[in-house]
Every structure is written in structure tokens, then in C-alpha cells.
Amino acid sequence: MHQLSGMDSSFLYLETGNTPMHIGSLAIYDQSTAPGGKVTFKEILKFFGERLHKARAFRQRLARVPLSLDHPYWIEDPDFDLEFHVRHIALPAPGDWRQLCIQAARLHARPLDRNKPLWEAYVIEGLDNVEGVPKGSFALVTKIHHAAIDGVSGAEISAAIHDLSPDAEVDEPDKPWVAERMPTGVELLTRSAAKSVGAPMKLGKLLYRSVPQLGKVVAGLATKQLKIPTKVPRTRFNAEVSPHRVFTGRSFDLNDVKAIKNSQEGTTVNDVVVSICGGALRYYLEDKNELPSESLVAMAPMSARPPDKKKSAGNLVTAMSLPIRSDIADPLERLLAVSKESTQAKKLTYTMGPHLAADAAEFLPSTVSGLLARTYVGWGMVDRVPPIVNTIITNVPGPNIPLYSMGSKMVATYGLGPVVHGLGLFQPVLSYNDTITISAVADREMMPDPAFYGECLERSFNELKAATIGAATRKSAKSKPSNVKKIRKAPRAKAS
């Protein structure tokens, strides 16, 4: 048994009926690569069962302190049931991309059962008319509560159910798994009381470390060496969210994205991704006659996880506020502007210290957090408090080699993430095997036409590609000397 950190617990406290706080993915697999060319659901259950020891989140459930007087604990679930977590459904005919998106959104909208380990996996068959996907493929929608993982530790859980070949053998566990009994309320309160003895000293250490960092931030802002986005426009995504979700996603060639990055000195792959999202949101809101004159601002989570803790569960993240320059029409100018904004945002984040948010969350009272979340909605504060950001854009790099699960080759993967009151659009970005996918999870009332937003993403990417790679190709072709020798015309014979 071990206790959740303050940051992990915050995802539980901030969860409401309309805002489940889990993350996950939609992955598509070609089962023709599996032994025998087909995978049965019984084999899928066996596959998951053999890998439960590879990620502790699979069999851990919550033990909550009475009256939420302290952060909850993880224990090894004495009633663990694999078949509750791995489920099997199918799309009706024709089994196209739109149907898959609708099904993924419905599954993602449902909260997880807090009396069970906080994850679910849905095997979806019937993908017979999804463009670019082999016939007979199946999808896997996974949901894992944000209290258990962040983007980096989530990648480790993904590694638990993927192999480098279709016939790879799973490693045996180092030791047998042992279930724990549910602790009594008295036991949990006793632990909390013992922990509270050292709290003042820990708070003093936090203040000792934080004051110099905050002083540097104030000095940087005063001398204009640091900048904080102050004008965040209100959009349709900055309102109270419903319990309904939509999902869409688009896949792009990672080599094209890298070529765009390489065409402009100093830019990064993340700059390109943010610029694409900025252009897509510009086109989407312009179509609704709702495009603000100021740039939209994104929250961009960044891992604060040191190398020695890459395999640990839980959340070790910080975030930066990043203008996505939706106010700039020209795609190349937008990319260069995003690159400058990103440099400024990273400078501010590192000046504050990447661990400050995680350390401060340890001292956030558990009873107050949930009350604040409910008050924020119940008193209509969503519409009264100025928005801090307009969307979340999170970029999680993945392996650049083929992966296999259940013997089946993964052909595509898309991210899923939470939306909350006042922030109804989440855009996860995943890279895998020379492709990069940009997805959008949104409140259904805020984005009733997700397919159109997918078109906006494609348009933004194509225009940026034409303005960078295309422009460089045209310039190179124009300046390249011709290898064809000109035939000198013979002089005309003079009339005799």
C-alpha cells in the first residue's frame, strides 16, 4: 500500500460527473500478422493476463481516507477481475471511420468505476471500411485514470502490452502477485495523523526552495526578459461542459513534419504541431464567425520526470502557456511566431522550476479541492472568471518502429484525453513508426462537427507544407541549371 501524491490526487478531486479525468488511446491493429491470421477474444484475455505484472496500475485500486481528510492510497485489489476491465464489442455495418470515432467518444465519456482498478480496455471489431486500414483489423480503446499515470508513465504502460515482434514471449514476473486486504478507516486515519507530524517541516522546505524561484520570475517580468500571456480570448471552448464527447483524428507523415521543421532554423517538431493546431482552430472559428483578433493560448504539458523515474507511475508534470498564433493567417509566419512564443514559454517554465506545481500540490487540502471544483461550476464561475487557456495540446513521442500487440501489428494510434469545465477541447499528439497523429476530444455541444475540424487540421498541415517544403522545392527547381544543351541555330543563308 502506498499513498497517492498531491498531484495524482488532484485529478480525483477535480473529477465531476461531467468531467471524467482519464486519458487513453485509440489504436488500430492488423490481425493478419498474428499466428494463424486471427485473434480470438479468449486469446486477448490471456494476453492481458500474462502482462498484468508489467504495470502496477493494472491491479491497484483506491483506498479512500474517511471524510477525504487525506490523499487516498493504492492497494493491490483483493477482488481483481480481468474480464471486468477487458471488454469486447463490434461496429455495425458498414464499419467506417465516422462510426469508430463515435464509438470511441461514447466509451471515453463514461467515468471509471472507483471501486475497481482505474482502467478499461475495449476491443472493437468490424472495421471493414476504414480508409487505409486492412480488412479484418480491430481497434483497442484504452482508458486509464490520470491519477495513475501521466503521458510518460502512460507510455510505459503501453509498452507492457506491446512487443517488437508478433511472436514475442512475455517475461515471467520476478515474484508472485499478492493481493492486499482493504484497510480499515481507523488504519488510514492513523497513517494520516503520523504523516501530518512532518508536514510543517516539508512546507518550510518548499517555501525555502520556491521563494528564490518566484523572485527570479518577478525580476524577469519586470525587465521584460520573461513574458506571460495576458490576453486570453474567450471562445466556445471556454464554457461549462456537458457529459457528451466527440472525437476525431488525422494522421500525417512524420518525415514531412520533420522536413517542415528543418526548413526553418530554430524550430522544433512541437512548434510545427502547435502551428498546425493554431491554423486549424483559426479556420474552424472563422467558419463560425467567432475568430478572436487575439491569439488563442494553449496549455502544453511538459514532463518533469527525471530519467531515474521514467518507469514510475503517477504524475510528474508541469505545463507552459503557449500562444498558438491563430491570429496570423500566413502559415509560415505563424510557425515562426509560434517558435518565438515557445522559446519564451519554456524560459518562464524553467525559471519557475519544473517541480514547483507537483511540490505545491502536496499541501493542497483534499477537502478543499473538490469543494472548489463544485463551486466553480455551481456558482457559474466558468462564465465569470477570465479564461487562462483555450485548449490543451500535449505531444507524446512514441517509438519509430512497428509494434505488435496480441500478435497483431499496430497500424495507427490516436490519443484520448479529458476535457474540463472552462476547457472543452483537448488535442493529444502521438508519433509512431514514421507517422504523427493529431486528435481532438471535445464537448459535443462545443464541437458538433468534429469531421469538419479534422478537415481544418488537414488544410492547416497542407498549407504549412506548401509554404515551407513546397516553396523550397520550387525555389530549388527554379535555380537548378538545366542539363539540356541548347542547340545553336545555324545562321540563315544570305539570299544570292
Side-chain angles (χ1 to χ4, degrees), residues 182-348:
M182 283 294 294
T184 66
V186 173
E187 289 173 326
L188 294 173
L189 287 172
T190 302
R191 280 176 172 260
S192 299
K195 172 191 164 189
S196 65
V197 174
M201 185 176 293
K202 290 182 179 179
L203 179 59
K205 289 181 179 179
L206 172 63
L207 294 174
Y208 178 78
R209 293 194 308 268
S210 303
V211 169
Q213 292 173 327
L214 294 174
K216 291 179 182 178
V217 172
V218 172
L221 294 173
T223 57
K224 297 185 178 180
Q225 293 180 347
L226 298 177
K227 186 177 74 170
I228 296 179
T230 54
K231 293 184 178 180
V232 181
R234 182 176 292 278
T235 70
R236 60 171 49 217
F237 303 113
N238 300 115
E240 184 178 339
V241 299
S242 74
H244 310 296
R245 301 290 177 266
V246 292
F247 165 81
T248 191
R250 289 294 185 273
S251 177
F252 305 104
D253 190 325
L254 182 58
N255 292 319
D256 283 345
V257 173
K258 289 180 177 178
I260 293 172
K261 182 262 297 185
N262 293 335
S263 71
Q264 306 300 317
E265 186 177 356
T267 61
T268 66
V269 167
N270 198 62
D271 294 337
V272 176
V273 167
V274 171
S275 183
I276 293 170
C277 293
L281 278 169
R282 177 184 176 85
Y283 303 139
Y284 185 83
L285 294 176
E286 202 170 37
D287 181 77
K288 314 294 182 191
N289 295 316
E290 298 175 4
L291 179 65
S293 58
E294 306 92 350
S295 172
L296 272 64
V297 178
M299 178 190 294
M302 298 170 58
S303 176
R305 189 178 299 274
D308 61 329
K309 292 187 178 180
K310 281 192 173 180
K311 293 187 178 181
S312 63
N315 291 268
L316 284 171
V317 295
T318 185
M320 61 181 183
S321 295
L322 179 59
I324 61 177
R325 302 319 304 264
S326 55
D327 56 324
I328 299 177
D330 183 86
L332 178 54
E333 289 181 16
R334 186 187 313 120
L335 172 61
L336 297 176
V338 164
S339 181
K340 290 181 181 179
E341 298 283 4
S342 179
T343 300
Q344 282 286 338
K346 289 176 184 176
K347 190 176 180 181
L348 174 63

Side-chain angles (χ1 to χ4, degrees), residues 118-166:
L118 296 178
W119 69 279
E120 293 172 358
Y122 292 82
V123 178
I124 306 176
E125 291 190 293
L127 280 63
D128 296 325
N129 285 283
V130 179
E131 186 178 351
V133 173
K135 291 272 187 180
S137 295
F138 65 91
L140 184 70
V141 171
T142 56
K143 300 164 51 175
I144 306 177
H145 204 284
H146 217 326
I149 62 170
D150 61 22
V152 174
S153 58
E156 294 298 325
I157 289 180
S158 175
I161 59 170
H162 288 95
D163 302 306
L164 298 179
S165 65

